[in-house]
Amino acid sequence: MGFSLSALGRSKGLVKPRNAVPAPAKGVYTTVDELVALEAAARDFNFLRKQPVNRLLAGRHASNMRGRGLSFEELRDYLPGDDVRTIDWRVTARTGKPFVRVYDEEKDRPALIVVDQRMNMFFGSRLMMKSVSAAETAALCAWRVMNLGDRVGGLVFNDTRIDELRPHRSRAAVIQLAGAIAGQNAELRADLSDHRGSGQLDLALEAVANVARHDHLVIVISDFEGHGPRTRDLLLRLTISNDVIAVLVYDPFMLDLPETGQIVVSGGSMQAELPLGHGKVRGGVADFARKRGEELMAWQQELGLPMLLVSAAEATAPQLRRTLGQLAWRQRRR
């Protein structure tokens, strides 16, 4: 098939499944007030594993972070930004390369929440647009991290720009992030030009890598449209010295196509009308969606990257609560 999921996002002839419920107006866009109101829903999230040593989203308490504490853990290569007081000069002199001594410690970790608000996210067949689902997921994560006492910042990107907010430990920081998300979300509309920032996902990840040198929590919330080898390399680079979570936002339309009707897809200036009642067309669309999903989910094993699934056809908070409660985080020693 020669089309992408972003093309479906621009479809004007979408045929919904027979049992689909029309999306309410509030599911098309979100507001700062709605994102701020999610603070209460995030308070009972179980982001933490039962054993402190394995906690991934950890606040100001013992964790698997390393720093200048009391208990020696290991030697590792010096990274830009490391405290020069931790350099082991004997090992450095012996090897000719700078090494630092790493200790267990109690500390917070800054969180960067990366939110996709490109045109490909402006699609939804049932409850809400993927862009709204991504916005709510980001707000819930930001409130939970802030309530744990950690610093919160983020990068919000669309097809033409990236808004960066440095991490701070305050409610104002979360509200500022919500404002950036809602601002870009409000700019989405069906009659936008055909320009698509096909490389924006990678540009956003590059911007994250420039900020999150090490010991950050990075949460990437996107449908990962336009991903490629560079995307994988950037995520691998981030996971080497940070904790990274990917949240794959999807719409179940591609997984449950109606048996009749037509859909108009666009890849820019060209449009095509696909008859969903045609077996080969349905099979091609299904194969495209399945292979793409398998490729993204394979990153869990290849990169050690938790990949959470969030459907735009369901309420966001219950999904995150359920998914995070079931996920067994893999303890990773850097």
Side-chain angles (χ1 to χ4, degrees):
M1 299 297 291
F3 63 89
S4 67
L5 291 180
S6 60
L8 289 173
R10 295 294 301 276
S11 170
K12 298 180 180 179
L14 180 62
V15 178
K16 299 178 182 179
R18 295 176 181 175
N19 60 349
V21 178
K26 68 178 182 179
V28 179
Y29 295 102
T30 190
T31 66
V32 175
D33 289 343
E34 290 173 343
L35 298 179
V36 170
L38 291 172
E39 180 179 9
R43 286 173 182 163
D44 62 344
F45 274 15
N46 182 21
F47 280 78
L48 310 180
R49 297 187 71 177
K50 293 182 179 180
Q51 299 300 323
V53 71
N54 293 332
R55 289 174 178 173
L56 181 61
L57 293 182
R60 301 164 66 79
H61 41 63
S63 71
N64 63 350
M65 297 283 291
R66 310 293 170 76
R68 298 187 67 244
L70 298 177
S71 177
F72 173 75
E73 278 289 331
E74 64 181 0
L75 290 169
R76 65 162 170 81
D77 292 339
Y78 173 85
L79 295 172
D82 283 337
D83 190 332
V84 295
R85 292 174 296 177
T86 65
I87 294 177
D88 189 309
W89 295 107
R90 291 184 179 180
V91 176
T92 297
R94 186 168 63 250
T95 62
K97 294 174 55 179
F99 278 83
V100 296
R101 298 177 66 85
V102 181
Y103 300 84
D104 275 342
E105 76 167 347
E106 295 184 355
K107 65 175 292 183
D108 66 341
R109 72 183 68 186
L112 287 174
I113 301 176
V114 187
V115 193
D116 189 348
Q117 292 291 299
R118 293 175 295 167
M119 195 59 208
N120 47 280
M121 299 291 287
F122 196 57
F123 174 76
S125 65
R126 301 183 187 181
L127 183 62
M128 68 183 75
M129 297 293 194
K130 292 189 294 183
S131 52
V132 173
S133 182
E136 292 184 353
T137 299
L140 288 163
C141 292
W143 282 122
R144 181 55 176 165
V145 171
M146 192 279 293
N147 287 331
L148 289 171
D150 294 337
R151 289 179 288 148
V152 182
L155 287 91
V156 187
F157 67 99
N158 57 23
D159 291 288
T160 58
R161 77 174 191 273
I162 301 173
D163 295 334
E164 179 180 335
L165 298 94
R166 291 301 177 103
H168 294 283
R169 188 180 296 112
S170 67
R171 293 188 78 256
V174 181
I175 294 173
Q176 185 180 14
L177 176 61
I181 296 171
Q184 290 198 15
N185 181 261
E187 296 174 7
L188 294 170
R189 62 181 190 273
D191 60 349
L192 284 176
S193 67
D194 290 327
H195 171 74
R196 297 199 201 290
S198 57
Q200 282 292 94
L201 175 60
D202 290 350
L203 289 177
L205 293 177
E206 288 176 359
V208 173
N210 290 331
V211 176
R213 301 287 186 177
H214 59 87
D215 294 343
H216 279 65
L217 169 65
V218 179
I219 304 175
V220 184
I221 306 169
S222 174
D223 65 357
F224 292 90
E225 178 64 33
H227 76 278
R230 177 61 177 161
T231 312
R232 183 186 179 282
D233 292 344
L234 287 166
L235 288 171
L236 178 60
R237 172 183 167 187
L238 284 169
T239 60
I240 291 175
S241 53
N242 301 280
D243 286 315
V244 183
I245 304 172
V247 180
L248 174 59
V249 181
Y250 72 97
D251 188 278
F253 178 81
M254 294 287 287
L255 306 177
D256 184 24
L257 291 171
E259 296 180 359
T260 60
Q262 295 176 329
I263 183 171
V264 177
V265 297
S266 170
S269 59
M270 302 293 292
Q271 290 188 342
E273 193 173 83
L274 303 179
L276 296 176
H278 196 288
K280 289 186 178 179
V281 172
R282 286 174 53 81
V285 173
D287 287 345
F288 172 84
R290 185 183 66 256
K291 290 178 180 178
R292 180 177 179 275
E294 291 174 351
E295 181 179 341
L296 291 172
M297 294 305 295
W299 286 350
Q300 287 196 125
Q301 287 72 37
E302 296 175 6
L303 309 181
L305 176 69
M307 179 73 72
L308 310 185
L309 300 179
V310 171
S311 170
E314 300 179 41
T316 309
Q319 288 188 82
L320 278 181
R321 189 176 294 109
R322 180 176 65 249
T323 303
L324 289 168
Q326 295 173 349
L327 184 62
W329 301 114
R330 181 175 66 88
Q331 181 182 4
R332 176 163 57 83
R333 299 176 66 89
R334 289 190 291 276

